[in-house]
Amino acid sequence: MRLTVPRVLMVLIGALLLTYAFAIAPTAMSGGEDGPSGRIEKAEQGAAAPSAPPRPAAELFPPAGKAFIGVMTHEGPHDFTAVNVFTAAAKREPQVMLFGSGWASDTFDRTLFDQISSRGMLPMLAWEPWDYGLDKASRKKGFSARKIDRIRSDQPHYRLSRIARGSFDPYLLSWAQGIKSLDYPVAIRFGHEMNGDWYPWCETVNGNRPGDFVKAWRHVHNVFEAAGVKNVIWTWSPNVRWDDSTPKLSTLYPGDDYVDWIGLSGYYGAGGFSTYRSFDAIFNPTIKEIRTFTHKPLVITET
């Protein structure tokens, strides 16, 4: 084909349109002040100074119109048999794996994170300040669910005020340094379902007081920040609201400067509900409440 001026112009115009479609348009159409990436687009606001490099959360969260799927299994990263079964059945590779770790006995183990990351999944750590041995012992004795809740939520050693004043700083720092050494991002879901009464980090139990959860969260975050950790996606994760007796979620929110993602736990067969409820019935009232104080990206962390 002979190159003529009109043909060259057509090629250039086509290239520019493709660049817009794949690079510029998704950003412009992301919606919301923070958009699905969780960061404010400074260019759109006409800021003179260049914006800071995006945090890991900004690059990992799906673009508008897309979603990711995660898994959580009983064995976690110690055994991927259940993950393999799920992957084969769903014909999809999960992109996130959630696993739990309790402060009483678990130390940082890089192997667990590497095994998840090597399979192409984002490790999401449910980081739990308690001794989960009390929970296991109560279940073995066959206690009722509410009695188990009362036993495991009464652990003064893990009172929120102790976390906030630095009693666990050596432990926190050991994890901060370990996660910092990883060359990939990690989501940390610290103290999930804090608006309930079944964990010792809930404000209504264990001698905790209103405002203590925010203080504890910010302290943990600050320890990591002081250690220079840049690869954490901080995931604040309450339980869905089931009635008006639970605290307002805004009183438990550490603030946008301390949170990257919002996570929600929501079950239709628990919390007094034994019949099927739709996704909207379970989640929408809580999502609506959360959107009154933050527009951070939202994920379903348990369902």
Side-chain angles (χ1 to χ4, degrees), residues 156-221:
H157 182 69
Y158 297 99
R159 198 163 282 161
L160 290 170
S161 59
R162 298 194 75 238
I163 299 173
R165 68 171 176 256
S167 298
F168 295 91
D169 280 7
Y171 181 77
L172 298 179
L173 186 58
S174 69
W175 278 79
Q177 292 170 338
I179 291 176
K180 182 182 178 180
S181 71
L182 304 176
D183 57 357
Y184 48 81
V186 171
I188 293 183
R189 183 176 176 241
F190 167 71
H192 62 284
E193 300 173 13
M194 76 300 293
N195 56 323
D197 61 2
W198 46 85
Y199 289 126
W201 55 82
C202 298
E203 283 194 345
T204 56
V205 296
N206 202 29
N208 297 321
R209 298 179 179 181
D212 280 352
F213 182 81
V214 168
K215 293 175 184 176
W217 177 288
R218 290 180 177 178
H219 182 79
V220 172
H221 180 282

Side-chain angles (χ1 to χ4, degrees), residues 272-285:
F273 297 97
S274 58
T275 56
Y276 174 79
R277 293 187 298 153
S278 69
F279 180 94
D280 288 350
I282 297 167
F283 288 100
N284 275 6

Side-chain angles (χ1 to χ4, degrees), residues 62 67-73 82-83 86-87 90 92-99 116 120-124 261 299-303:
F68 56 65
I69 285 289
V71 295
M72 179 176 65
T73 68
V83 178
F86 170 83
T87 299
R92 292 289 185 275
E93 292 282 349
Q95 294 125 309
V96 185
M97 185 173 191
L98 172 67
F99 72 102
I116 295 173
M121 295 185 289
L122 166 72
M124 178 176 278
W261 290 356
V299 297
I300 304 301
T301 42
E302 285 188 47
T303 192

Side-chain angles (χ1 to χ4, degrees), residues 35-290:
S37 69
R39 71 177 189 274
I40 297 174
E41 297 296 342
K42 299 295 185 182
E44 294 180 8
Q45 296 187 14
S51 59
R55 300 184 66 170
E59 296 178 349
L60 285 168
F61 203 80
K66 298 291 183 180
F68 56 65
I69 285 289
V71 295
M72 179 176 65
T73 68
H74 178 70
E75 297 297 334
H78 298 281
D79 184 346
F80 286 91
T81 301
V83 178
N84 295 336
V85 172
F86 170 83
T87 299
K91 296 181 174 61
R92 292 289 185 275
E93 292 282 349
Q95 294 125 309
V96 185
M97 185 173 191
L98 172 67
F99 72 102
S101 181
W103 287 18
S105 56
D106 294 340
T107 56
F108 177 79
D109 183 354
R110 179 183 181 125
T111 304
L112 302 179
F113 293 89
D114 284 346
Q115 288 177 167
I116 295 173
S117 180
S118 66
R119 292 179 61 106
M121 295 185 289
L122 166 72
M124 178 176 278
L125 172 68
W127 211 22
E128 304 166 347
W130 68 330
D131 179 357
Y132 54 73
L134 295 178
D135 180 77
K136 288 184 177 181
S138 299
R139 292 180 187 278
K140 285 183 179 179
K141 294 179 180 179
F143 294 151
S144 67
R146 287 308 292 164
K147 186 172 182 178
I148 293 173
D149 287 346
R150 288 194 296 272
I151 292 172
R152 70 181 184 183
S153 65
D154 184 22
Q155 300 190 36
H157 182 69
Y158 297 99
R159 198 163 282 161
L160 290 170
S161 59
R162 298 194 75 238
I163 299 173
R165 68 171 176 256
S167 298
F168 295 91
D169 280 7
Y171 181 77
L172 298 179
L173 186 58
S174 69
W175 278 79
Q177 292 170 338
I179 291 176
K180 182 182 178 180
S181 71
L182 304 176
D183 57 357
Y184 48 81
V186 171
I188 293 183
R189 183 176 176 241
F190 167 71
H192 62 284
E193 300 173 13
M194 76 300 293
N195 56 323
D197 61 2
W198 46 85
Y199 289 126
W201 55 82
C202 298
E203 283 194 345
T204 56
V205 296
N206 202 29
N208 297 321
R209 298 179 179 181
D212 280 352
F213 182 81
V214 168
K215 293 175 184 176
W217 177 288
R218 290 180 177 178
H219 182 79
V220 172
H221 180 282
N222 289 343
V223 169
F224 275 65
E225 190 171 67
V229 184
K230 303 293 184 184
N231 58 326
V232 170
I233 303 166
W234 293 97
T235 306
W236 179 77
S237 186
N239 199 85
V240 293
R241 181 75 79 91
W242 58 94
D243 61 36
D244 292 335
S245 67
T246 56
K248 289 185 178 180
L249 292 177
S250 60
T251 65
L252 299 166
Y253 186 61
D256 282 356
D257 290 341
Y258 296 87
V259 174
D260 295 302
W261 290 356
I262 306 298
L264 285 178
S265 297
Y267 293 87
Y268 71 76
F273 297 97
S274 58
T275 56
Y276 174 79
R277 293 187 298 153
S278 69
F279 180 94
D280 288 350
I282 297 167
F283 288 100
N284 275 6
T286 304
I287 293 174
K288 184 178 179 181
E289 178 182 354
I290 287 172

